[in-house]
Amino acid sequence: MLILYRNFNICHNFTTLVTKVKMSRPTVLMSSPTIPKIAFDLLETRCNLVRTTTDSKNEILEKVKGVDAIFWASHLPLNKEVLENAGSQMKTIGTMSAGFNHIDIGELKSRGIKLGNTPEVLNDGVADVAVLLALGASRRLQEGRLKIENNEWNSHNQWMLGQDISGSTVGIIGLGGIGQAIVKRLKPFNVAKFIYTGHKEKPEGKTLGAHFVDLETLNKESDFIIVACPLNDETRGMINDDFLSKTKKTAVLVNISRGDVVNQEALIKALKEDRLFAAGLDVMTPEPLPSNHELLKMPNVVLMPHLGSATKKTRDAMAELTAQNILRGLGGEPMLTPVC
Ligand SMILES: O=C(O)[C@H](O)CO
């Protein structure tokens, strides 16, 4: 009897311990198998991880059930369906992205869920791509390659002339961290004037020697228009037919933000009608772009498949920051880079 009682006690204590350990080790869904190792290492010190073997929606919807937090490394919409499947205990999300237009913030707020994102750490990577696209589009990179491929190389001195960035006016839509990093990079190119638009004038603009203007002025004056603002209800379709009807014919448009800031049909039309010199796009609609899409057939469009933050260093930094946000959220501390 005594032995039985002792065994019961041991069992009981063990169960309590397991429950406690489980309680002190929250579960985190890692929504993609390709999340950098640094995030797994950090989170594993204090959490139990639920891993996925694919990036598929179905697997995420299945594995999210009952977790305490989500590491979101997917461009799939993070919406009511995902949250409902997760359950009401899930109160912490870290998204491995600076943009959060794919996340239903209203739904998160109504459920008291905390969200952190990864701004700043990708500024340099994305700004590099903006410069790459500005130069590539203005110097006819895609068209030049096609000329070689099609045996149309012609060396006369007026052949394939591009637009100069030196002496130009560069207009930045959205002087956030990425916009500022773009200005810093372009300064040594002897740009004549930097202008920017946004909600309000920024002290950083003064430091960088960039002038605050309204969107219309930016459009009218810019030789290079670089879209670096977040996608939201205000900016969706901002670059539309009307906007492009007032742009300089020699202007180059670069988009490193989100495809939907630009009305793509209007852009294609303007490029075809030679109302715009060229475009350099890291983002487009839809993503992935179908391989037979019209944009791919246009010689004056330089395209990249949303690679702005795609360097080893940047993605590691994004993963680490996401993991830290999750750990802080789970521990009841403020996230390092909170969205809500
Ligand atoms: O928002 C971001 O983090 C970048 O566009 C990569 O998705």
Side-chain angles (χ1 to χ4, degrees), residues 23-310:
M23 274 173 64
S24 59
R25 284 186 69 82
T27 49
V28 183
L29 172 75
M30 307 300 277
S31 71
S32 163
T34 56
I35 291 167
K37 184 175 177 303
I38 189 164
F40 283 93
D41 291 349
L42 251 173
L43 288 168
E44 246 165 1
T45 59
R46 281 168 43 195
C47 310
N48 293 333
L49 305 186
V50 178
R51 295 159 190 260
T52 52
T53 52
T54 64
D55 286 295
S56 81
K57 182 179 166 191
N58 284 348
E59 190 180 358
I60 291 174
L61 285 178
E62 190 49 42
K63 295 200 169 156
V64 78
K65 289 176 184 162
V67 299
D68 299 299
I70 303 176
F71 187 117
W72 197 252
S74 167
H75 282 285
L76 290 170
L78 204 176
N79 53 17
K80 196 169 173 179
E81 189 184 14
V82 178
L83 302 177
E84 270 189 353
N85 266 37
S88 57
Q89 77 298 329
M90 199 283 299
K91 295 287 180 210
T92 304
I93 302 176
T95 178
M96 194 181 134
S97 64
F100 45 84
N101 52 290
H102 55 309
I103 301 178
D104 190 335
I105 302 294
E107 203 54 51
L108 259 56
K109 282 187 178 161
S110 72
R111 292 164 188 258
I113 296 170
K114 284 171 281 186
L115 171 72
N117 68 338
T118 61
E120 303 299 323
V121 290
L122 46 56
N123 290 352
D124 286 341
V126 180
D128 287 349
V129 164
V131 174
L132 177 67
L133 290 171
L135 292 172
S138 63
R139 299 304 301 271
R140 308 170 81 148
L141 192 68
Q142 172 68 5
E143 196 178 350
R145 189 194 157 104
L146 289 173
K147 295 283 184 207
I148 302 172
E149 278 180 13
N150 298 332
N151 233 345
E152 289 170 357
W153 191 321
N154 179 334
S155 309
H156 75 72
N157 66 23
Q158 292 302 300
W159 188 60
M160 289 285 289
L161 303 185
Q163 303 294 337
D164 283 296
I165 203 153
S166 71
S168 71
T169 294
V170 173
I172 314 272
I173 301 182
L175 195 71
I178 294 172
Q180 291 167 37
I182 295 170
V183 174
K184 284 179 195 155
R185 276 161 177 68
L186 288 181
K187 272 185 179 271
F189 284 83
N190 295 330
V191 168
K193 191 175 175 188
F194 287 102
I195 54 181
Y196 71 98
T197 193
H199 277 141
K200 55 177 177 6
E201 195 164 359
K202 294 195 159 191
E204 295 89 347
K206 277 216 165 56
T207 318
L208 289 167
H211 307 277
F212 182 66
V213 294
D214 59 30
L215 184 64
E216 209 176 316
T217 309
L218 181 135
N219 190 16
K220 228 172 35 206
E221 291 187 4
S222 297
D223 301 301
F224 287 80
I225 298 174
I226 304 184
V227 182
C229 58
L231 171 67
N232 51 42
D233 289 345
E234 213 180 324
T235 59
R236 191 179 305 276
M238 179 190 255
I239 311 294
N240 56 17
D241 245 331
D242 180 51
F243 181 96
L244 292 166
S245 68
K246 295 167 191 154
T247 305
K248 286 187 187 179
K249 279 185 164 186
T250 50
V252 170
L253 180 88
V254 171
N255 188 4
I256 46 80
S257 156
R258 287 291 182 265
D260 285 345
V261 177
V262 175
N263 178 325
Q264 208 160 269
E265 290 312 307
L267 174 66
I268 292 172
K269 197 158 167 269
L271 286 164
K272 278 190 168 167
E273 292 171 3
D274 288 331
R275 287 186 283 112
L276 190 67
F277 186 76
L281 310 174
D282 185 41
V283 287
M284 55 219 76
T285 311
E287 290 180 11
L289 195 73
S291 61
N292 61 352
H293 196 278
E294 207 170 356
L295 275 176
L296 283 156
K297 299 181 187 128
M298 303 183 70
N300 53 350
V301 177
V302 177
L303 291 174
M304 288 177 74
H306 202 151
L307 295 179
S309 63

